[in-house]
Amino acid sequence: MSNAFPEIYLVRHGETEWSLSGRHTGRSDIPLTANGEAAARKLADRLAGLAFSAVWSSPSERARKTCALAGFGSGAVIKDDLAEWDYGAYEGITTKAILADRPGWQLFRDGCPKGEFAADVGARADAVIHALRQTAGTILIFSSSHFLRVLAARWLGLPPEDGSRFVLDTASISVLGYEHDLTEPVIRRWNQR
């Protein structure tokens, strides 16, 4: 479906050892696996023929490497607000291990001790959205799962906690945009692999 309005392409980074094992990877710089690198290279074909007025990346190595392997590294602008959720004391720990010590814990509801809560991530997402809406063209963003999920929720005007309702696979592409006019933000495509 063609669209006369700007679109925001969201790319989750390729696979890492920690994303594969379910370990929370916020600010740790974990490299892509060989499979993650291969998937990142395939993004070039999937994004071929699209024109972007800007390319933005999270400062993480995994996002920057995915961006570069997809063929967009030379023009990418690093945006600190695109960083993944700061998991604080839960960095590198699986949800299963957290639940063993803290039954009933949910990231989007409860946040992380010594790290961020949904409202913190939502404030960063709001800053990104403000910048996106000041830009007239189509933008390509490389970042991480939980941040992009909050970004999608906030794009729609939902609370940041509603990012829990979206799932993103590694090396997936999603597209935010508008329907009838710039007052109607929508998700045009989600989690395409």
Side-chain angles (χ1 to χ4, degrees), residues 32 37 40-41 43-44 55 57 60-76 78 140 142:
L32 300 177
E37 288 184 3
R41 284 186 195 93
L43 287 165
V55 177
S57 177
S60 74
E61 175 187 341
R62 60 194 179 274
R64 289 183 290 115
K65 180 80 171 197
T66 300
C67 178
L69 291 173
F72 296 94
S74 64
I78 304 303
L140 177 60
F142 291 84

Side-chain angles (χ1 to χ4, degrees), residues 45 57 89 97 101 132 144 153 181:
D45 291 336
S57 177
D101 289 334
L132 289 169
S144 298
D181 60 45

Side-chain angles (χ1 to χ4, degrees), residues 156-175:
L156 298 175
L158 301 172
E161 293 82 0
D162 281 355
S164 67
R165 301 180 185 280
F166 302 97
V167 173
L168 280 175
D169 295 319
T170 55
S172 62
I173 299 172
S174 301
V175 183

